[in-house]
Each structure stands twice: as structure tokens, then as C-alpha cells.
Amino acid sequence: MIRVIYQWQVPPENLSAFQQAWKQTTTSIHETVPGARGSFLLQDHANPGKILTIARWDSREDWQAFFEAENPPQMLRMRELGERVSVTSYDEFEDVTV
């Protein structure tokens, strides 16, 4: 299992539309891309335009097959509404969330 953290900078006027686009994008990817396990969305309390989306994938290979061109077409609407600042992948050692 891996987690991929995407950091975004989203203008205040686009926050609601970005959230909707993220939800549609995540649902579509989860339903159609092998290995995609979904995502969650975080907003920085002190800087509301700083958004993290954290996706879970079965394997690095599954994610790399999806992210091969670094601009998957499924994420186009999100990129129109905000700037993707960074993408970092992490191996999941352990998860004790409930």
C-alpha cells in the first residue's frame, strides 16, 4: 500500500468548485483505475487555500501506471481550479486509524 500526497494552492473563489471536482475525480478514479483505493481532502486552517489530497493505492506500480504522464486527464478540472504544488509518494508502514 502507498499514499500519495498532492499539495494544491487554490484561490478562495475556487475552493467550493475544487472540492466538488476533487470528489468527482476521486470517485471516477476509484471506480475505473486498477489499484486506486480513494482519497481524502484536507484544508490548512491557517492558510485555507493550501489543500492536501491524500490518495491510497494498492502499489507504487498501480499509481505510476495512472500518473505516468504526470497530468492524468482525470485531474484536468482540478488543475484548472488550483495549482498543483507538489506530489510525494510514501510507503504505508502501518495504519491504526479506525
Side-chain angles (χ1 to χ4, degrees):
M1 229 23 106
I2 69 164
R3 301 279 178 138
V4 181
I5 301 177
Y6 302 85
Q7 181 181 330
W8 301 83
Q9 190 62 46
V10 181
E13 65 272 14
N14 291 352
L15 285 169
S16 180
F18 183 88
Q19 182 179 6
Q20 292 172 355
W22 165 82
K23 189 172 186 176
Q24 292 171 345
T25 299
T26 296
T27 300
S28 173
I29 291 169
H30 178 66
E31 292 175 350
T32 63
V33 179
R37 294 291 168 202
S39 175
F40 59 92
L41 181 74
L42 300 174
Q43 182 179 38
D44 186 321
H45 178 74
N47 177 3
K50 182 180 177 182
I51 303 293
L52 298 179
T53 58
I54 303 177
R56 190 175 197 191
W57 290 84
D58 284 340
S59 71
R60 186 168 313 283
E61 294 76 20
D62 287 335
W63 173 67
Q64 287 173 329
F66 165 74
F67 202 68
E68 173 178 310
E70 294 191 16
N71 282 311
Q74 294 95 325
M75 297 176 83
L76 177 62
R77 181 69 177 138
M78 292 171 64
R79 291 192 314 271
E80 291 172 349
L81 295 166
E83 175 191 358
R84 190 176 60 211
V85 176
S86 65
V87 179
T88 309
S89 64
Y90 296 87
D91 294 318
E92 186 176 305
F93 283 156
E94 192 170 347
D95 182 355
V96 293
T97 59
V98 288

